[in-house]
Amino acid sequence: MEQCARVLSWLSAGVSALLHAGARVLPHWRSAAAERSRWRSTLPEQLPTGCLWVHCASAGEYEHIRSVLRRVKGEFPGLPFVVSFFSPAGYRQHRHAPEADAVVLMAPDTPRAVRWELEQLRPVAAVFVRYELWPWHLRELRRWRIPAMLVAATAPRSWLWRLPPLREALRCLLGSFQRVLALGEENARYFRRLVSEVEAIPDPRYDRIWEAVQAAPQLEFPTEYSTGRWVLIAGSTWAADHRLLVRLLQELPQELGQRLTLVLVPHVPDAAHLQQVQRLFPQARFWSQPGAPEQGKPAVLVVDRVGLLLGLYRYAQAAYVGGGFGRGVHNVVEPAAYGIPIACGPRIAASPDAAPLQRVGALCVVCNAEQLRQWVERLMQQPQEYKQAATAARAFVRERLGGSTVVARRLVELLRSGGVPPGSAESAPPLG
């Protein structure tokens, strides 16, 4: 195994150096490479000796570990938490994350950079999230005898990993972890063919979303847009979604349309996008200055502020989630946690949640305005069908809770096995 690790480490270091050099001449990578080149400056000048180091690729992966860190912090209140990101965008988004004592960019996977990084951090344990397997980092963690755990592991999709050399390389990398916590039994079966210490866990993201939903603030939703009306929240929408929703309002029967409130929450609510929305929906009012809706017509309320979408779902009878006609549908679990039916466009392959929600009957994939109209009509006119979809949505989320508790328990065990003394946990949330 050590020889395999040595070969992988040098290969990774060479590839890292080549990518860094290539980024200087490739415009698409130049900006990110320039940010990553400043990784040393993100490390804090003063950090107590020893920390729990958590590494994520980007912002999405961080969602798998946020609730875990809050639980573990209660058990080890004196232990600093350092979160690193490979992606500069992830670093920017979470650089002030309340769960972390410091947020940094990860060092390049090269010998000198990794050694310098570990000398600064001096971690007592390391957690890598999802598919972050950096050979030189893992080699140095073994050499320093720092226990490591892989959390929310998912099997690689590409057929290339079936080839014996790559499969053996993956086995070697996974052997660096004391424990692998895989997302679900299917992923766990894959990893058990490579290493022994594998446990299937529910996805901790669901705990994070559930907690966020419970903590979402009450909003002053305009009563003239809610009382006696059927509210459809269209969240994280783009131009293609707006065109679809325009046709929905045009084609919906009048007796249903005059009861409908459409709340549009554009993904990018800047001035240019809001002007485009207003041209498409001339009857629209803005959240900041709602006014009264026109009588006898669908009411349209456009949210011209950020940070309200999660709380708005509380007031909805149903949700349309945008992105499904573009690069991919956005977060469909948030409305599901409120127990409301969901619709979205056809591009759901990149979402780990959309297809399972569709299978249980909580989500409807629509490819055109006619299908969206039929979905809205069924929900407004058939209470039994509405109830089934709503119940399925809430049950989908509730049945998947508990992953954060399992991961937190395993991480506490890892820290204690490494000799980290627990602090006072009188105010700590229970680990279950």
Side-chain angles (χ1 to χ4, degrees):
M1 175 178 169
E2 192 56 39
Q3 184 177 0
C4 172
R6 189 178 300 112
V7 172
L8 288 172
S9 299
W10 283 111
L11 281 173
S12 177
V15 170
S16 296
L18 286 172
L19 289 175
H20 185 69
R24 296 178 180 178
V25 297
L26 294 174
H28 182 67
W29 292 355
R30 192 176 296 153
S31 176
E35 286 188 80
R36 280 202 49 77
S37 68
R38 296 190 288 270
W39 64 272
R40 286 177 187 259
S41 66
T42 66
L43 283 162
E45 293 182 5
Q46 298 293 328
L47 191 68
T49 302
C51 67
L52 172 65
W53 173 35
V54 178
H55 175 65
C56 309
S58 192
E61 287 71 27
Y62 187 51
E63 294 302 314
H64 293 282
I65 202 72
R66 295 187 72 170
S67 294
V68 174
L69 296 183
R70 285 199 293 272
R71 286 165 166 78
V72 176
K73 193 71 170 179
E75 292 282 313
F76 299 89
L79 179 65
F81 288 7
V82 176
V83 175
S84 67
F85 290 95
F86 177 79
S87 159
Y91 165 74
R92 290 194 304 272
Q93 183 172 341
H94 290 296
R95 62 185 303 177
H96 301 298
E99 301 85 5
D101 295 278
V103 179
V104 303
L105 278 170
M106 187 191 201
D109 200 46
T110 58
R112 182 178 298 179
V114 172
R115 291 193 192 106
W116 190 89
E117 177 186 50
L118 292 181
E119 284 170 359
Q120 304 305 308
L121 297 179
R122 296 278 173 175
V124 295
V127 176
F128 284 50
V129 181
R130 292 281 309 262
Y131 33 64
E132 286 294 276
L133 303 175
W134 293 97
W136 206 280
H137 277 83
L138 295 177
R139 180 185 178 184
E140 288 297 298
L141 288 173
R142 284 198 311 274
R143 191 172 72 83
W144 288 40
R145 297 183 179 178
I146 297 169
M149 185 165 70
L150 181 63
V151 171
T154 51
R157 297 179 181 179
S158 173
W159 62 270
L160 291 172
W161 290 98
R162 301 174 192 169
L163 300 177
L166 287 180
R167 188 177 177 82
E168 190 57 34
L170 183 57
R171 187 196 309 276
C172 175
L173 293 172
L174 293 171
S176 301
F177 297 101
Q178 276 64 41
R179 187 181 291 272
V180 174
L181 304 182
L183 285 184
E185 191 58 41
E186 184 178 349
N187 284 311
R189 282 196 298 269
Y190 176 90
F191 288 113
R192 286 181 188 128
R193 292 194 288 267
L194 300 170
V195 290
S196 57
E197 292 296 322
V198 179
E199 181 179 356
I201 62 166
D203 192 337
R205 280 185 314 116
Y206 292 105
D207 294 304
R208 157 70 180 157
I209 293 171
W210 184 261
E211 291 165 5
V213 164
Q214 306 310 307
Q218 296 279 345
L219 302 175
E220 294 184 4
F221 198 99
T223 56
E224 58 267 40
Y225 288 86
S226 58
T227 303
R229 304 188 73 94
W230 202 88
V231 180
L232 173 65
I233 303 287
S236 297
T237 52
W238 297 89
D241 303 302
H242 299 154
R243 291 191 292 270
L244 189 79
L245 292 163
V246 166
R247 291 193 56 194
L248 167 69
L249 300 188
Q250 293 171 344
E251 298 175 9
L252 201 63
Q254 184 178 1
E255 64 272 16
L256 299 181
Q258 64 187 2
R259 293 171 44 207
L260 180 72
T261 290
L262 173 64
V263 181
L264 277 174
V265 188
H267 191 72
V268 183
D270 58 19
H273 285 90
L274 292 175
Q275 288 176 5
Q276 292 174 5
V277 170
Q278 195 163 35
R279 283 196 293 270
L280 285 170
F281 300 90
Q283 77 273 39
R285 304 290 189 268
F286 287 105
W287 178 270
S288 57
Q289 296 177 326
E294 294 185 32
Q295 295 297 317
K297 294 182 179 180
V300 181
L301 190 61
V302 180
V303 177
D304 51 357
R305 291 170 49 193
V306 298
L308 299 184
L309 178 57
L310 183 63
L312 281 170
Y313 284 131
R314 176 182 287 114
Y315 304 93
Q317 274 68 52
Y320 172 90
V321 179
F325 289 92
R327 297 180 63 180
V329 67
H330 293 288
N331 193 325
V332 292
V333 179
E334 289 179 354
Y338 281 101
I340 57 176
I342 310 150
C344 68
R347 293 186 180 171
I348 64 172
S351 169
D353 313 299
L357 277 166
Q358 184 185 25
R359 285 195 293 271
V360 301
L363 181 143
C364 177
V365 175
V366 298
C367 297
N368 52 52
E370 175 64 16
Q371 293 176 352
L372 181 60
R373 180 189 62 77
Q374 292 174 359
W375 176 73
V376 171
E377 285 190 18
R378 289 198 305 272
L379 295 181
M380 293 183 74
Q381 295 179 315
Q382 301 179 23
Q384 189 59 33
E385 181 165 343
Y386 178 92
K387 183 179 179 181
Q388 289 175 353
T391 302
R394 181 173 287 267
F396 178 88
V397 178
R398 293 183 69 95
E399 290 167 1
R400 286 161 175 78
L401 298 179
S404 292
T405 298
V406 176
V407 177
R409 190 183 300 127
R410 298 294 175 259
L411 185 49
V412 167
E413 292 170 359
L414 186 74
L415 289 166
R416 287 176 177 166
S417 69
V420 180
S424 171
E426 293 178 356
S427 62
L431 293 179

